[in-house]
Amino acid sequence: MAPRKTAILSVYNKQGLLDLAKGLIKHDIRLLASGGTAKLIREAGFEVEDISAITNSPEILKGRVKTLHPKVHAGILSTNSESDEKDLAEQSIDKVDFVVCNLYPFKDTIAKINVTIEEAVEDIDIGGVTLLRAAAKNHARVCVLSDPQDYAEFLQAMDKGEVTERSRQLYALKAFEQTADFDTTIADFFRKKYASDGIQQLSLRYGANPHQKFAAAFCKDGPLPFKVLNGAPGYINLLDSLNAWPLVKELKQALGLPAAASFKHVSPAGAAVGVALTEREKEVCMVADIEGLSDSALAMAYTRARGADRMSSFGDIVALSDSVDVPTAKIISREVSDGVIAPGYSKEAFDILSRKKGGKYMILQMDEAYEPPTTESRTVYGLQLQQPRNDVKISPKDTFNAIITPKDCPPLPESALRDLTVATIAVKYTQSNSVCYALNGQVIGLGAGQQSRIHCTRLAGDKADNWWMRFHERTSTLQWKKGIKRADKSNAIDMLCSGRLGQLSKSDIETQDFLQNFDTNRAPVAFTNEEREEWLSQLSGVAVSSDAFFPFTDNVYRASRSGVKYVACPTGSVADQDIFAACEKLNITFVEQSVRLFHH
């Protein structure tokens, strides 16, 4: 006769326990149970033995030690091998075939108002976790039940004569998930208690919105990769900072130049590398008076990044690849900005920035050596999503070699490779869909997050056009009324450059608001359509990158109207050949960029 099978039962949640016990006894399974579990089964009139029947050791320490014993876990962990059978026989240990266990309500305990550490510690389950993990580890032989919702299905399988291997696998997975969640909850609790000093966990003001309280940022595997030197980061501040930092880090690695980004709502408003500024560019970007600007490649990079789209950069997060110097700090200090992340700050630069926003300006110091895990995960509506981190490397040397059209195209000039690199790394960190126009080592127009690619291309192209209109003499020589703020200047310039001013009557309230920025008789005249077209026709040499293929030729036609000479994007559209042909007719060089770069 086959030896009688044994089940160990030790549950906090006793839902369905008596029906399960009845079903196990029906199949002549010996029941061993601990504490309250044994008491409930016994009081219901079912035959059950205490765990001590096999351990010969009583429950001690108020029940904290009852199942932690070699005769329990050897019985669970033993296989059918000869050596295991020999060990069991020598120690007079019987195999355990079923383990029924669930854990103390640690989550409920710590959810109580003003719960103490002592109260929480009492509900850290040790024996239960060990039972579940041991049984789940040996699920090839042992069936583990950790969820009362599975009891009915299990008993039906027993009535049919067998619990299948597939069922044992799924029960084991559930047990592992239960112990993992239990351990994660404990770690989260103690991280908040013991590591809330900003080293491993950082409390945030709130989440994405003020009503989403008790937000936090933490690392499971060590200290946070940044230090908060000033201010108090918010949830969105960190989303922007931790997307902007790798962008500037990659730009510097790819091009060997200091890099800067102006980030808003998890997409760059602008990004650039430290290409020298002309005097005209300094005037247009409102930095001509910054002492030492031409000696700081970092300051010139941020000037270009902020100057890409001043409207979108209002209230930005600044990311800088290099230690912040005084010229860069002076530029940031005069703009409306929420914070900065960089690997370091000179003392003078830090003093300048720390006075911003009444001393509340967020200043983060990033660890340059930090490398994130290769796998990233996020929770969406209660579901865990996981994927490998997008670690594809974009470089001017290796990424833009596959020129499709024109057929006899010579190697791309260094300026084109630089600008394609800037645009492509920018779309890598931009909410998809995304299309980026770049020139002179900087983003000049970026379209993000639209459902249609043509709308991204149009949005980015319109921004590039507005950027170029700012260099028109009429725009760069505006005579402002004394005391006009920089943000109001940017709004007025946008209204003029976008063509909106020409669409309104002089009596329109929006026009009147615009005119408040200027003294009487000094207000600029709106651009005519002919003037805009004539000036925009002078924009040339622009590079465009798209995070996925152009599905239709309309993207090429729109890009060409903003001076585009180079296009880099993946192929795979059914209209690829039409797109190549359109590029060739418009004298645009099309480079296949072989990696899709969606970012969500």
Side-chain angles (χ1 to χ4, degrees):
M1 289 181 61
R4 187 184 183 192
K5 291 188 175 182
T6 298
I8 288 181
L9 301 89
S10 181
V11 298
Y12 178 86
N13 180 356
K14 296 176 175 58
Q15 174 190 343
L17 175 64
L18 296 181
D19 287 338
L20 178 64
K22 181 180 179 180
L24 290 169
I25 291 171
K26 172 184 172 183
H27 290 281
D28 192 31
I29 294 172
R30 179 189 184 190
L31 304 189
L32 298 170
S34 63
T37 305
K39 183 174 182 290
L40 182 63
I41 296 172
R42 190 173 289 119
E43 289 176 348
F46 298 122
E47 182 180 350
V48 62
E49 300 173 69
D50 292 326
I51 295 289
S52 59
I54 62 170
T55 65
N56 295 315
S57 176
E59 295 185 10
I60 59 174
L61 304 180
K62 297 181 179 179
R64 292 197 296 275
V65 177
K66 49 198 173 197
T67 61
L68 295 170
H69 195 279
K71 288 198 173 183
V72 171
H73 291 285
I76 296 172
L77 289 166
S78 61
T79 67
N80 293 325
S81 68
E82 289 186 10
S83 61
D84 282 5
E85 296 282 5
K86 180 175 179 292
D87 285 345
L88 294 182
E90 289 177 351
Q91 300 298 324
S92 300
I93 297 174
D94 293 330
K95 288 181 180 176
V96 174
D97 305 279
F98 305 92
V99 171
V100 182
C101 182
N102 53 64
L103 307 175
Y104 293 160
F106 187 80
K107 283 186 179 179
D108 295 339
T109 298
I110 62 174
K112 296 175 183 176
I113 297 175
N114 297 325
V115 64
T116 65
I117 290 178
E118 290 75 15
E119 290 170 330
V121 164
E122 279 302 308
D123 271 350
I124 296 178
D125 202 321
I126 304 299
V129 169
T130 309
L131 284 174
L132 288 177
R133 189 163 285 141
K137 175 179 179 177
N138 200 25
H139 65 270
R141 185 183 65 77
V142 178
C143 182
V144 57
L145 294 171
S146 62
D147 184 354
Q149 298 298 321
D150 293 329
Y151 294 171
E153 175 191 81
F154 165 78
L155 290 174
Q156 289 173 5
M158 291 290 288
D159 288 341
K160 292 178 181 178
E162 181 187 15
V163 178
T164 66
E165 179 183 17
R166 178 62 174 161
S167 293
R168 291 199 310 277
Q169 291 170 346
L170 293 176
Y171 294 153
L173 171 60
K174 185 174 286 190
F176 282 132
E177 288 175 335
Q178 187 173 139
T179 60
D181 181 65
F182 195 75
D183 287 341
T184 297
T185 304
I186 294 170
D188 288 345
F189 175 78
F190 283 102
R191 190 183 301 110
K192 292 173 184 175
K193 294 293 183 182
Y194 297 153
S196 58
D197 54 3
I199 296 175
Q200 189 174 347
Q201 172 156 313
L202 179 67
S203 295
L204 306 177
R205 297 194 304 275
Y206 49 77
N209 299 288
H211 66 274
Q212 292 169 278
K213 305 292 186 182
F214 311 116
F218 62 87
C219 273
K220 291 183 177 180
D221 301 321
L224 294 168
F226 61 84
K227 295 178 181 178
V228 180
L229 303 184
N230 198 72
Y235 184 88
I236 292 177
N237 293 154
L238 287 186
L239 285 179
D240 284 339
S241 298
L242 298 175
N243 273 277
W245 167 255
L247 190 162
V248 299
K249 181 179 180 180
E250 288 190 31
L251 277 178
K252 183 176 182 181
Q253 289 174 341
L255 295 172
L257 294 169
S262 171
F263 241 73
K264 282 286 295 293
H265 298 292
V266 205
S267 284
V273 290
V275 174
L277 293 162
T278 65
E279 294 305 314
R280 185 68 173 277
E281 286 173 325
K282 292 177 185 178
E283 292 287 346
V284 168
C285 293
M286 306 181 188
V287 293
D289 60 331
I290 296 293
E291 185 177 350
L293 174 62
S294 295
D295 297 323
S296 171
L298 186 68
M300 290 189 288
Y302 181 60
T303 296
R304 290 187 178 281
R306 179 84 186 199
D309 182 359
R310 290 188 58 84
M311 297 282 287
S312 296
S313 286
F314 185 86
D316 65 349
I317 292 295
V318 182
L320 301 163
S321 65
D322 291 41
S323 185
V324 182
D325 54 22
V326 170
T328 308
K330 285 184 176 178
I331 296 170
I332 297 171
S333 70
R334 60 171 56 173
E335 303 288 5
V336 177
S337 173
D338 282 351
V340 58
I341 183 169
Y345 303 83
S346 73
K347 182 181 183 305
E348 296 83 357
F350 178 80
D351 289 343
I352 292 169
L353 294 172
S354 62
R355 293 194 294 268
K356 192 171 172 63
K357 296 183 72 172
K360 296 181 179 179
Y361 189 64
M362 184 194 78
I363 304 176
L364 304 182
Q365 183 175 5
M366 188 68 191
D367 178 3
E368 287 184 279
Y370 173 73
E371 290 293 337
T374 56
T375 299
E376 59 187 13
S377 60
R378 64 193 297 183
T379 302
V380 179
Y381 205 59
L383 275 71
Q384 296 291 318
L385 303 181
Q386 191 175 83
Q387 65 175 358
R389 181 170 54 86
N390 185 1
D391 58 0
V392 63
K393 297 297 182 185
I394 309 298
S395 75
K397 178 181 178 181
D398 302 320
T399 306
F400 308 106
N401 295 324
I403 299 174
I404 291 180
T405 187
K407 299 297 184 184
D408 56 350
C409 182
L412 297 181
E414 292 296 321
S415 59
L417 290 171
R418 175 199 62 203
D419 294 343
L420 287 173
T421 301
V422 169
T424 303
I425 292 178
V427 297
K428 181 182 175 185
Y429 291 97
T430 301
Q431 296 295 292
S432 300
N433 290 326
S434 60
V435 174
C436 182
Y437 295 56
L439 183 67
N440 297 333
Q442 73 172 85
V443 169
I444 63 170
L446 197 149
Q450 303 302 303
Q451 290 75 22
S452 166
R453 185 148 312 268
I454 183 57
H455 289 119
C456 292
T457 306
R458 290 172 183 167
L459 176 58
D462 290 348
K463 289 183 177 183
D465 291 349
N466 290 354
W467 172 83
W468 180 240
M469 291 300 299
R470 284 164 51 198
F471 288 85
H472 192 284
E473 184 178 5
R474 187 179 306 170
T475 311
S476 61
T477 58
L478 290 172
Q479 300 296 306
W480 301 100
K481 185 186 292 184
K482 187 176 181 180
I484 299 300
K485 295 179 180 179
R486 293 170 71 84
D488 292 326
K489 290 180 180 180
S490 295
N491 292 342
I493 289 171
D494 184 77
M495 187 171 177
L496 174 64
C497 292
S498 66
R500 173 67 177 162
L501 183 63
Q503 300 169 0
L504 302 171
S505 68
K506 291 185 178 179
S507 62
D508 190 278
I509 187 172
E510 195 172 353
T511 303
Q512 295 301 310
D513 189 53
F514 171 84
L515 294 174
Q516 294 298 314
N517 295 289
F518 309 93
D519 290 322
T520 305
N521 300 324
R522 288 193 171 186
V525 178
F527 289 108
T528 65
N529 289 336
E530 292 74 18
E531 286 173 325
R532 283 181 58 82
E533 289 179 9
E534 192 281 328
W535 182 252
L536 290 174
S537 69
Q538 299 178 47
L539 178 60
S540 63
V542 176
V544 160
S545 185
S546 171
D547 64 4
F549 60 67
F550 281 163
F552 301 105
T553 54
D554 51 3
N555 292 276
V556 178
Y557 301 143
R558 175 60 191 89
S560 71
R561 295 201 298 273
S562 293
V564 169
K565 171 66 176 174
Y566 309 97
V567 169
C569 67
T571 57
S573 167
V574 296
D576 273 350
Q577 295 304 318
D578 295 334
I579 289 163
F580 303 155
C583 285
E584 189 150 13
K585 290 176 183 177
L586 293 167
N587 196 30
I588 293 174
T589 300
F590 186 98
V591 183
E592 182 181 20
Q593 193 284 99
S594 60
V595 181
R596 195 180 78 174
L597 293 170
F598 280 177
H599 181 64
H600 290 276

